[in-house]
Amino acid sequence: MQHIELRSDTFTKPTKEMLERMFSAKVGDDVWDEDETVKALEARIADMFGMETALFCPSGTMANQIAIKVHTQAGDEVVCDYSSHIYQYEGGGIAFNSSASVNLLKGVNGKITVALVKDSLKEENVHFPRTSLVSVENTTNKGGGACYQLSDLQDLSVFCKSNKLAFHMDGARLFNAMVKTNTKPNEYGSIFDSISVCMSKGLGAPIGSLLLGTHTFIAQAKRIRKVLGGGMRQAGYLAAACDFALDHHVDLLKEDHRRAKEIETVLAQVAFVGEVLPVETNIVIFSTDKPASLVAYLKDKNILCSAISATQIRFVTHFQFNDSMLEKLKQALLSYS
């Protein structure tokens, strides 16, 4: 029996059509800068975002960590929300890779503001680390898939420029945010110094993220990617999957969001659920007294999800979670006691 996967949108598998695109890719050695499919994808995504160039990386974590390394010096400080993926889920990489410290802010559903950043900045003093980078996440993972308004990001960008701070976006689910807010890639490219865009979450490619920035920034990033072991050879097979996802999977995100909203509606009806974070995109986070019991109950019904804290469960919808599966989940939730 096929299980219903709601642990993450990273569990999607290539479709037959995606595999066909991958198998027909023209490849070379990307470390030698000779894989034309990778080069075409990098050029395509850079053009979409109105940024100078891009670098294909194995993962979003690597793309983020490379960006942090380029933007900081040892002993510097990175400003981000306390729930940020770069802090919570990247293996302590800020310290390990960049020897930088972190200034954690308490935003709303993972989103920070100019006021929070401004209040967090330290005076120039030998006792304090030098703040060099502000990073935001869009959508916010632990914030329940919340999206930044473009105007808020523009305000942050102006503040960062006026204070000589680099501004990075972890765009792990940026296409979800763009679909929700009806914004375009080039509107973001003009705001940030660097952006990481993940293809293996909502867009459903098996592997791959891209890091965007200036030619100078990406030249440095390529050296760091090599040091971290991220230089891949015939990577065009993977880039072709990302290219296919851009062609065919972006419009499907609207359906992921619709199904997540329907789950939110059901959760509001059942007594065992406490707070449900506002559902904007494809992530549903809610509290319950005994998460482990509900996870086990759903697993018995062949529905997989995960407890993300002692009180919270997360569902993540994706294009391989269909309406039939949605109905089975609804019935399971309504039957739980």
Side-chain angles (χ1 to χ4, degrees), residues 60-68 85-86 90 168-170 196:
T61 292
M62 181 177 285
N64 286 331
Q65 291 300 316
I66 289 172
I68 294 166
H85 193 279
I86 62 168
E90 297 189 3
H168 172 71
M169 177 163 62
D170 172 5
S196 67

Side-chain angles (χ1 to χ4, degrees), residues 78-122:
V78 179
V79 176
C80 63
D81 187 80
Y82 80 100
S83 67
S84 294
H85 193 279
I86 62 168
Y87 175 72
Q88 295 279 353
Y89 296 118
E90 297 189 3
I94 297 173
F96 189 88
N97 298 310
S98 299
S99 299
S101 59
V102 189
N103 187 345
L104 299 177
L105 308 183
K106 179 67 172 176
V108 177
N109 294 333
K111 297 183 294 182
I112 60 176
T113 63
V114 170
L116 285 172
V117 177
K118 184 177 181 180
D119 288 346
S120 77
L121 295 185
K122 302 173 178 65

Side-chain angles (χ1 to χ4, degrees), residues 270-288:
V270 293
F272 61 87
V273 169
E275 180 188 18
V276 183
L277 295 187
V279 174
E280 297 184 41
T281 53
N282 70 322
I283 299 177
V284 183
I285 294 177
F286 63 96
S287 63
T288 186

Side-chain angles (χ1 to χ4, degrees), residues 294-310:
L294 180 55
V295 170
Y297 163 80
L298 291 173
K299 187 175 181 180
D300 285 342
K301 293 187 174 296
N302 219 32
I303 301 169
L304 302 182
C305 62
S306 59
I308 61 169
S309 75

Side-chain angles (χ1 to χ4, degrees), residues 193-297:
D193 296 296
S194 59
I195 300 174
S196 67
V197 181
C198 184
M199 298 291 174
S200 63
K201 293 187 175 70
L203 295 187
I207 294 171
S209 287
L210 290 114
L211 179 61
L212 298 100
T214 64
H215 289 294
T216 300
F217 173 86
I218 293 298
Q220 293 177 266
K222 186 173 287 188
R223 294 186 65 86
I224 296 167
R225 185 187 69 173
K226 178 64 176 177
V227 171
L228 295 177
M232 298 180 286
R233 302 300 178 173
Q234 287 71 42
Y237 295 116
L238 302 175
C242 299
D243 199 55
F244 181 91
L246 287 172
D247 288 340
H248 298 283
H249 292 170
V250 175
D251 287 344
L252 300 179
L253 295 173
K254 295 178 182 177
E255 292 300 294
D256 298 344
H257 299 175
R258 174 183 63 81
R259 294 181 181 112
K261 288 295 290 184
E262 291 192 31
I263 296 170
E264 178 187 33
T265 299
V266 172
L267 292 172
Q269 301 172 23
V270 293
F272 61 87
V273 169
E275 180 188 18
V276 183
L277 295 187
V279 174
E280 297 184 41
T281 53
N282 70 322
I283 299 177
V284 183
I285 294 177
F286 63 96
S287 63
T288 186
D289 288 341
K290 298 179 180 178
S293 297
L294 180 55
V295 170
Y297 163 80

Side-chain angles (χ1 to χ4, degrees), residues 305-317:
C305 62
S306 59
I308 61 169
S309 75
T311 59
Q312 290 178 312
I313 287 177
R314 185 184 77 161
F315 297 145
V316 186
T317 60

